[in-house]
């Protein structure tokens, strides 16, 4: 493991303190959603409803190379995405131990995520997936099958560099409307923008559009299901519905989005190949011509990357963070994916560079760790285990022609 970035750790402490104060002052802990799923008094995130009204970049504008690889176009921007942020009891116990060690009050998830910082810093925008609802800061907490996890994970995600999170998953309403609302309030307090679940009907009609120096990037999410549960209102969670997602993408384009991403929460758990639903929906989204890239999570395993009719699809990014599974080794692995988007002379944006880094969760202490060939954090589990993880991930990622289409491993130590 690398040493924690001192400035980043200070930022984490500041954000965590701000989150605690914001939750207390807003009464998030005691809030109850109105009957029928109405919103509480929590503020509505501006970006989700009113995208920044700046002109769309034109070919005549100042060149903007963006972060990441060398930009061969006039304008580039890079987006980093990761898989499920799935907090279990072992992780919040680790966060307690790290808080004690660091002199931080409460829970400190910063060290767990710290390895991702270097990748995020070399990207223009980083998006995580908050799979589960969060509890009040002091709990009670619960894990599978009905999650209610520590909210301090949001402050850690913000501090390490994430700017937004998707929230549509099969666990979104594990704690009902109250848990859904509390989760969005916590993300707001941490300074993380979000999409995929909503407090109000008006909020559900908004589209998350995120501005980088070069482009406006819309994110549209959907989940295959809710574990047999039903939300109080159908608009509370975005479902995996190709026509509805395409309609949102068209609206995003009308609002000035240059790049539109689809985040699919779907697939067969612990599989190494996409299922029929994933293929059908992803291909329908690509065929619409409205999406610049499609990516997914949920299976708790890495899935292939494919370039389908010119559109990149990463079917499954595995786990961003999770506890170690004694039964499924793939559960402990993940894929960090960074796409650089370039604007051509006609003003069209496409993914010009797609790169991925394999990762693994290690314990004692629990940490996210990259097992990419350049080993930016050193040895993760052991030299042999790291090599096995990297090979297993590489074989799956490349099983649908990713290499031939131009995707490659992300060596963060060799960027630029």
């Amino acid at each position: 493991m690398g040493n924690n970035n001192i400035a980043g750790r200070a930022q984490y402490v500041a954000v965590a303190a701000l989150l605690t104060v914001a939750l207390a002052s807003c009464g998030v802990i005691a809030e109850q959603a109105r009957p029928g799923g109405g919103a509480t008094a929590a503020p509505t995130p501006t970006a989700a409803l009113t995208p920044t009204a700046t002109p769309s970049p034109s070919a005549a504008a100042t060149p903007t190379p963006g972060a990441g690889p060398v930009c061969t176009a006039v304008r580039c921007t890079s987006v980093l995405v990761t898989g499920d942020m799935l907090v279990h009891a072992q992780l919040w116990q680790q966060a307690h131990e790290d808080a004690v060690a660091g002199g931080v009050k409460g829970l400190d998830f910063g060290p767990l995520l710290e390895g991702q910082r270097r990748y995020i810093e070399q990207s223009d925008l980083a998006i995580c997936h908050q799979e589960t609802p969060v509890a009040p800061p002091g709990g009670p907490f619960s894990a599978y099958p009905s999650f209610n996890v520590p909210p301090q994970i949001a402050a850690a995600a913000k501090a390490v560099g994430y700017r937004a999170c998707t929230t549509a998953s099969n666990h979104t309403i594990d704690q009902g409307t109250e848990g859904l609302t509390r989760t969005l309030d916590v993300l707001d307090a941490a300074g993380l923008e979000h999409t995929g679940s909503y407090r109000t009907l008006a909020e559900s009609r908004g589209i998350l559009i995120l501005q980088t120096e070069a482009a406006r990037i819309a994110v549209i999410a959907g989940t295959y299901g809710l574990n047999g549960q039903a939300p109080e209102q159908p608009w509370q969670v975005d479902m995996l519905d190709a026509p509805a997602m395409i309609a949102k993408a068209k609206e995003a384009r009308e609002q000035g989005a240059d790049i539109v991403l689809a985040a699919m929460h779907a697939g067969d758990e612990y599989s190494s190949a996409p299922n029929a639903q994933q293929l059908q929906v992803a291909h329908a989204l690509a065929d619409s011509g409205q999406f610049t890239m499609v990516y997914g999570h949920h299976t708790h395993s890495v899935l292939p990357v494919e370039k389908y009719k010119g559109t990149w699809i990463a079917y499954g990014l595995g786990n961003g963070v999770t506890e170690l599974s004694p039964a499924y080794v793939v559960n402990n692995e993940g894929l960090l994916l960074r796409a650089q988007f370039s604007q051509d002379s006609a003003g069209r944006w496409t993914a010009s560079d797609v790169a991925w880094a394999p990762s693994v969760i290690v314990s004692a202490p629990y940490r996210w760790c990259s097992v990419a060939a350049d080993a930016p954090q050193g040895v993760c589990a052991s030299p042999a285990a790291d090599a096995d993880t990297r090979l297993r991930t590489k074989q799956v990622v490349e099983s649908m022609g990713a290499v031939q289409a131009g995707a490659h491993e992300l060596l963060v130590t060799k960027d630029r």
Side-chain angles (χ1 to χ4, degrees), residues 295-371:
Y295 70 96
H297 26 66
H298 167 66
T299 66
H300 311 303
S301 58
V302 172
L303 296 178
V305 174
E306 173 190 33
K307 191 172 188 181
Y308 169 79
K309 296 183 179 179
T311 300
W312 284 100
I313 303 169
Y315 285 100
L317 303 178
N319 283 320
V321 296
T322 188
E323 68 177 0
L324 294 183
S325 168
Y328 299 100
V329 65
V330 295
N331 175 82
N332 310 327
E333 301 168 350
L335 196 69
L336 179 151
L337 185 139
R338 186 187 68 190
Q340 183 185 65
F341 299 95
S342 300
Q343 185 186 42
D344 63 22
S345 59
R348 182 171 178 264
W349 288 86
T350 56
S352 54
D353 183 87
V354 173
W356 50 272
S359 65
V360 67
I361 297 294
V362 296
S363 62
Y366 265 101
R367 298 289 186 261
W368 180 95
C369 193
S370 170
V371 293

Side-chain angles (χ1 to χ4, degrees), residues 242 264 277-287 294 306 308 311 313 315:
M264 306 195 320
Q277 182 187 40
Q278 288 174 286
L279 290 168
Q280 180 181 16
V281 174
H283 289 178
L285 299 180
D287 286 337
V294 179
E306 173 190 33
Y308 169 79
T311 300
I313 303 169
Y315 285 100

Side-chain angles (χ1 to χ4, degrees), residues 30-117:
E31 279 181 356
Q32 300 290 328
R34 296 193 192 101
T40 63
T44 299
T46 303
L49 297 176
T50 310
T52 308
T54 54
S56 183
S58 65
T62 305
T64 50
V70 173
C71 178
T72 58
V74 173
R75 186 171 289 98
C76 294
T77 196
S78 57
V79 180
L80 178 146
V81 289
T82 51
D84 297 302
M85 199 140 63
L86 190 59
V87 178
H88 286 269
Q90 293 178 28
L91 297 188
W92 65 71
Q93 177 59 37
Q94 181 67 62
H96 169 71
E97 294 171 8
D98 286 328
V100 171
V104 177
K105 186 177 180 180
L107 301 175
D108 185 359
F109 289 98
L112 172 68
L113 298 176
E114 184 61 32
Q116 298 178 7
R117 183 185 301 277

Side-chain angles (χ1 to χ4, degrees), residues 102-158:
V104 177
K105 186 177 180 180
L107 301 175
D108 185 359
F109 289 98
L112 172 68
L113 298 176
E114 184 61 32
Q116 298 178 7
R117 183 185 301 277
R118 188 169 186 176
Y119 291 93
I120 292 172
E121 288 178 342
Q122 291 178 229
S123 307
D124 294 310
L125 172 66
I127 303 169
C128 67
H129 177 62
Q130 178 59 44
E131 180 167 15
T132 64
V134 303
F141 307 134
S142 61
Y144 182 84
S146 185
F147 286 88
N148 204 28
V149 309
Q152 292 90 341
I153 188 65
K158 175 65 176 180

Side-chain angles (χ1 to χ4, degrees), residues 386-410:
D386 292 357
D388 286 346
T389 293
R390 180 173 176 269
L391 178 60
R392 183 165 42 248
T393 302
K394 179 180 172 65
Q395 289 174 336
V396 172
V397 167
E398 297 177 352
S399 63
M400 293 178 69
V403 171
Q404 294 85 340
H408 61 95
E409 188 173 4
L410 173 53

